[in-house]
Amino acid sequence: MGHFTPLNANEQFKKDDDGLNVRTRIETIYSQRGFDSIDPADLRGRMRWWGLYTQRKAGIDGGKTAILEPHELDDEHFMLRVRIDGGRLTTAQLRAIGEVSETYARGTADITDRQNIQLHWIRIEDVPAIWQKLEAVGLSTTEACGDCPRVIIGSPVAGIAEDEIIDGSWAVDEIHERYIGDKEFSNLPRKFKTAISGSPVQDVVHEINDIAFVGVVHPEHGPGFDVWVGGGLSTNPRLAERLGAWVPLEQVPDVWAGVVGIFRDYGYRRLRTRARLKFLMADWGPEKFRQILEDDYLKTKLIDGPAPAEPSTRWRDHVGVHPQQDGNFYVGFAPRVGRIDGPTLAKIADVAAAHGSDRLRTTVEQKMIILDVAPDQVEPLVAALDALDFQVRPSSFRRGTIACTGIEFCKLAIVETKGRGHDLISDLEKRLPDFDQPISININGCPNACARIQTGDFGLKGQLVLNAEGEQVEGFQVHLGGSLGFEAGFGRKLRGLKVTAAELPDYIERVLRRFEEERTDDERFAEWALRADEGALK
């Protein structure tokens, strides 16, 4: 239980001082004395507990990512992650993020695939002022990164959607209020990811979270949640497993705390590469995990419950115009690969307010939603969003493409992603203007799968490859036919299937044309990719 020896460097700095304590040093020392005053264990360790990562020094190519030492890769600026539990924002909060972006982050802003917003080019001298600005409107960066419970992703239409099974908003708020920033759970073996959704769309990628609560209806007890534990991707992907337990809404925070407690006490701390909860679940299995949870942490038995049905729709991102429970509508729109900027965030807030809304949401697909739109305001809002190039009725390519931060800012990345994804969308829209099938293109700058490469129709893992002239260039190893929700799995990786960045539009066009030629009625790309001849996938 607790620490296992010998301690690796991460476990040592956590044992020496809790990550939450670094805020005082940031406010009283580092922001006053500048970047060079920061203790290395704070710089590359504890500052993550407050959403701060050093970003990649400009001009360092992908071939040097695994060669240079951390201090050689560090720029003297930071990425700052704003924590947005449940993806819930007010127009005032969105404006505040936009103002921080313009004032302190050179206008940068990216919506992540965990509903957060990330800013870049942050100076340590400005961090206290940024916190003051965000916290004044109810936002924070507390435990946005680090070995702790990170953002709680939730259905972006919780309490709103007409077809909702159960509203999990109370549980998101209660977990945040009780446990986020609490030192009971601020020293975990690795990061801990949570998802809560009562939507039949299953809109929180529950299969790849450490813990997920999925809305179901128990035949005797009514609406509640099915509990999943031990999912995660990176270089050792694993799908979460059901505990077979039905949990009522009021019990969700206690079950959550019990699972986090198990991870804290039993998780593998010696080897950083085996420190995620998925490795413990793989060794224990769901029956033992549930027994220890019930006997040692909850002190009560859980109720057996049913598994969730398949998602109610193939597109699970809420893009488009959809009815709310109250007769109004919510309107989802598609930024390109989650990239926005500070001034545009303010414009989105203004557009929402002008059409009667004060509430917005981010999604796990790097999209946004405006809630509470009156029927007579729907089309004017759609027109206003289109004018900002935020399409409510986007192509399959704009709707289905996500990308991680990439080499522009990330010290782990090998290739560029955001700009490439932006251009790929335009290219495919021109090449395949009539393609209308749901498709996901997940672009990742390295093997760590922040953009969920193993679960996309096209999962693109950034690496250096050889072109036709034998030169080393940016490219991708290709995963095909991964999916979540519908027969969830990690798809297919063909031996030697690598594509240069320049060849990527040609390659995807070629494969999608074959898919359209060979697919049976109502066959999804993932189903076709798993049965297709290898030659059709090259």
Side-chain angles (χ1 to χ4, degrees):
M1 309 259 306
H3 296 289
F4 295 97
T5 57
L7 300 183
N8 62 49
N10 288 273
E11 289 302 319
Q12 186 63 58
F13 79 65
K14 288 187 290 182
K15 187 177 182 181
D16 291 342
D17 188 33
D18 192 285
L20 292 172
N21 293 339
V22 77
R23 175 163 178 157
T24 300
R25 292 191 288 278
I26 292 171
E27 292 176 322
T28 62
I29 301 173
Y30 304 147
S31 64
Q32 304 298 318
R33 300 181 184 175
F35 185 89
D36 291 338
S37 70
I38 304 173
D39 182 280
D42 286 344
L43 180 65
R44 301 181 192 95
R46 300 183 193 97
M47 290 175 72
R48 297 177 184 179
W49 272 248
W50 290 95
L52 289 158
Y53 280 98
T54 51
Q55 69 185 38
R56 187 188 191 94
K57 190 177 295 182
I60 299 176
D61 65 61
K64 295 186 174 66
T65 295
I67 298 173
L68 297 179
E69 295 296 320
H71 70 274
E72 296 176 292
L73 286 167
D74 285 336
D75 188 81
E76 293 190 3
H77 293 87
F78 294 86
M79 177 207 82
L80 179 66
R81 182 175 295 159
V82 182
R83 179 181 182 126
I84 306 172
D85 291 277
R88 296 173 297 181
L89 288 167
T90 64
T91 52
Q93 289 172 331
L94 191 62
R95 285 194 186 97
I97 297 172
E99 290 170 12
V100 169
S101 169
E102 287 193 77
T103 305
Y104 302 110
R106 302 188 187 180
T108 58
D110 289 330
I111 303 170
T112 76
D113 62 0
R114 292 194 65 79
Q115 298 182 303
N116 296 309
I117 293 179
Q118 292 181 176
L119 310 174
H120 300 280
W121 298 110
I122 300 296
R123 299 166 63 247
I124 192 64
E125 292 87 348
D126 297 326
V127 171
I130 293 171
W131 281 336
Q132 185 177 23
K133 181 74 174 177
L134 294 175
E135 290 167 3
V137 293
L139 293 170
S140 83
T141 67
T142 310
E143 295 185 327
C145 313
D147 296 350
C148 54
R150 300 195 183 182
V151 66
I152 305 162
I153 63 174
S155 173
V157 293
I160 295 295
E162 199 175 48
D163 60 352
E164 186 172 53
I165 298 168
I166 185 171
D167 180 2
S169 302
W170 175 85
V172 174
D173 292 337
E174 193 71 8
I175 291 169
H176 190 280
E177 179 67 24
R178 289 192 205 174
Y179 302 115
I180 302 308
D182 186 336
K183 291 184 179 180
E184 180 182 0
F185 295 134
S186 63
N187 179 359
L188 303 179
R190 285 289 296 270
K191 58 189 173 185
F192 187 87
K193 296 183 176 182
T194 303
I196 301 173
S197 175
S199 170
V201 172
Q202 296 177 13
D203 46 10
V204 292
V205 292
H206 62 272
E207 301 97 330
I208 54 172
N209 280 267
D210 293 284
I211 187 170
F213 297 89
V214 183
V216 293
V217 178
H218 192 286
E220 297 176 21
H221 302 284
F225 294 93
D226 189 42
V227 184
W228 296 58
V229 174
L233 294 178
S234 192
T235 53
N236 291 283
R238 191 174 193 277
L239 294 176
E241 295 185 72
R242 297 181 59 238
L243 296 188
W246 177 89
V247 174
L249 177 63
E250 61 270 17
Q251 196 178 13
V252 168
D254 293 335
V255 172
W256 181 91
V259 171
V260 182
I262 290 175
F263 182 42
R264 175 197 62 206
D265 298 337
Y266 291 96
Y268 303 142
R269 292 180 181 263
R270 245 191 95 198
L271 297 176
R272 190 85 176 151
T273 54
R274 284 181 55 80
R276 289 293 299 276
L277 182 60
K278 62 186 176 183
F279 294 102
L280 183 65
M281 175 58 92
D283 289 346
W284 280 11
E287 290 184 9
K288 178 179 178 179
F289 196 101
R290 177 173 171 177
Q291 179 184 352
I292 291 176
L293 174 64
E294 292 173 337
D295 294 349
D296 298 345
Y297 290 81
L298 298 177
K299 309 297 184 182
T300 187
K301 294 294 182 184
L302 296 170
I303 299 170
D304 292 340
E310 284 194 340
S312 58
T313 176
R314 290 190 179 184
W315 285 115
R316 300 159 69 189
D317 55 10
H318 302 292
V319 168
V321 178
H322 304 273
Q324 295 185 177
Q325 298 168 5
D326 61 2
N328 290 320
F329 292 84
Y330 64 89
V331 179
F333 58 95
R336 291 176 183 252
V337 294
R339 175 139 287 179
I340 306 190
D341 57 56
T344 304
L345 290 177
K347 290 177 184 177
I348 293 170
D350 291 342
V351 165
H355 295 87
S357 173
D358 183 50
R359 299 193 294 171
L360 304 99
R361 299 290 184 266
T362 54
T363 82
V364 298
E365 308 297 340
Q366 300 179 337
K367 308 299 186 288
M368 292 192 76
I369 303 169
I370 295 174
L371 307 182
D372 308 325
V373 183
D376 64 347
Q377 290 295 312
V378 169
E379 287 309 316
L381 174 62
V382 170
L385 290 170
D386 283 346
L388 293 174
D389 193 31
F390 293 134
Q391 298 174 6
V392 175
R393 301 177 181 96
S395 70
S396 293
F397 305 116
R398 180 185 285 221
R399 189 169 183 176
T401 302
I402 65 174
C404 73
T405 301
I407 201 170
E408 184 179 7
F409 297 116
C410 178
K411 294 183 294 182
L412 300 177
I414 301 168
V415 305
E416 203 277 335
T417 55
K418 288 289 189 182
R420 184 158 289 127
H422 180 284
D423 295 343
L424 178 65
I425 290 167
S426 297
D427 211 341
L428 292 173
E429 286 174 340
K430 293 174 183 175
R431 291 165 180 252
L432 297 165
D434 299 322
F435 186 87
D436 61 358
Q437 295 299 310
I439 200 76
S440 56
I441 302 172
N442 297 7
I443 307 173
N444 216 81
C446 77
N448 287 313
C450 294
R452 311 197 297 258
I453 49 176
Q454 298 96 334
T455 65
D457 290 315
F458 290 87
L460 305 173
K461 181 172 73 176
Q463 59 184 230
L464 299 180
V465 302
L466 297 179
N467 64 14
E469 289 73 40
E471 301 166 324
Q472 196 174 61
V473 297
E474 289 191 1
F476 300 91
Q477 183 181 52
V478 183
H479 298 247
L480 290 162
S483 65
L484 296 174
F486 298 92
E487 299 177 2
F490 296 134
R492 188 173 180 182
K493 185 167 65 175
L494 302 185
R495 186 177 181 86
L497 181 51
K498 299 177 182 178
V499 181
T500 68
E503 295 168 338
L504 192 57
D506 289 340
Y507 169 74
I508 294 178
E509 178 191 6
R510 184 165 66 244
V511 173
L512 287 181
R513 289 192 183 279
R514 289 171 184 155
F515 164 61
E516 288 193 301
E517 291 169 2
E518 298 180 8
R519 68 184 292 261
T520 60
D521 289 345
D522 208 35
E523 186 174 32
R524 295 178 294 115
F525 180 87
E527 296 172 304
W528 172 79
L530 294 180
R531 71 168 177 82
D533 292 337
E534 286 195 12
L537 301 174
K538 294 183 177 179

